[in-house]
Amino acid sequence: MAKEKMSVTERHYLTLDKIIERHGDKPGGLIRVLAKAQELFGYLSRDVQIHVAEKMCLPVGHVNGVATFYSQFITSPRGKYTVSVCLGTACYVKNGQDVYNRFRELLGVDENGTTEDRMFTLRSTRCIGACSLAPLIAINDHVHGHLTVDDVAGLLGKYQELEAEEEAADIGAEPVRAAGHQAEVSPPN
Ligand code: FES
């Protein structure tokens, strides 16, 4: 009889179980396991937390406490684009907070929130080491420097336009262009 093919999720759980076996009982083991789980699944869903708790014989509340305490862990799904607004000192004094607030207003989400269409997740970060470009933000790996509050709508428009083009390419139709963006910032590749 032919072997049944494992789903990607099943493979991820298998990999995770091996990490638990190898590191679960070592000091800092839970953090290591959760970091691997996040790498595999993208975020630490309730199901993943329960799985880790069962395999490591820990209360779910403890696993959840660790998952929600450390800022590197994400417990809800992320959007396709993560908007990281730097609120380090150099960016902050150059109105980084206003830029952050404008993203919050336009996206309609709070810190670590994801838009309903799962396109954008908003988060603030500390200094990312490019202070000469302050105030800056990153959208996934693309850094956009010297951003003003007035640039925000245009920048989001570029990404929405890119998304519309991708969707149009998928269905072989003409893309609908987003209106009203004028920001002089690096476009997404
Ligand atoms: S403070 Fe924002 S990059 Fe340094």
Side-chain angles (χ1 to χ4, degrees), residues 86-92 126-131 134 136:
C86 180
L87 292 181
T89 308
C91 289
Y92 187 84
R126 294 185 185 157
C127 177
I128 60 172
C131 305
L136 67 82

